[in-house]
Amino acid sequence: MRRVLHWTGLFVTEEWIEMLRYTLMRLGIFAGCFVVVWGLVYSGLAPRGLGASNGMWVVLLALVLSAPLSFVLLRKERDRASVKIVQKVDRVKANLDANRSQEDVADDTSRAQGHAS
């Protein structure tokens, strides 16, 4: 059974909640990497960026570190979210096919009635 929550005028589905959870976990890993890289750069253990580009350098290093960590650490969350999305896509496809078949039956009926008269 599909659960839909009503929250401040928005309808929040399970798929939405799964994607929000996964996104927040990825942001958390990035924030952790950012703090670690910032500490390493400002302690002198990692090289600084050139001129005023130091902030961009720290962000880029944090992104490079957080991407593979997210890939490995969040595998189960990503798989769970993708299963929910695939189920929703399959449900939408089934509904579209059902609508098409109803339209085909209605079209065939109207054509048959048009040729009969």
Side-chain angles (χ1 to χ4, degrees):
M1 183 170 146
R2 189 172 162 208
R3 192 173 48 151
V4 177
L5 304 172
H6 186 68
W7 177 57
T8 65
L10 299 173
F11 288 99
V12 181
T13 62
E14 288 182 28
E15 296 89 6
W16 191 85
I17 292 171
E18 290 292 331
M19 288 308 299
L20 179 65
R21 180 181 309 151
Y22 176 70
T23 301
L24 290 175
M25 291 174 109
R26 283 201 66 181
L27 285 172
I29 289 174
F30 171 75
C33 287
F34 180 81
V35 169
V36 168
V37 169
W38 181 81
L40 290 174
V41 166
Y42 282 100
S43 67
L45 295 173
R48 290 180 181 251
L50 297 174
S53 69
N54 196 42
M56 183 62 78
W57 173 248
V58 172
V59 169
L60 286 175
L61 280 177
L63 281 172
V64 167
L65 289 175
S66 70
L69 284 174
S70 294
F71 184 74
V72 173
L73 296 175
L74 299 179
R75 176 169 284 140
K76 288 181 184 178
E77 286 296 322
R78 185 176 56 249
D79 290 344
R80 187 180 316 155
S82 67
V83 164
K84 295 282 185 186
I85 291 172
V86 166
Q87 289 172 350
K88 182 175 183 175
V89 168
D90 289 343
R91 197 169 45 246
V92 168
K93 283 182 180 178
N95 288 342
L96 284 173
D97 288 341
N99 288 341
R100 274 195 210 118
S101 66
Q102 288 176 353
E103 289 174 3
D104 290 343
V105 168
D107 187 45
D108 292 342
T109 303
S110 67
R111 287 182 187 203
Q113 289 174 354
H115 289 300
S117 49

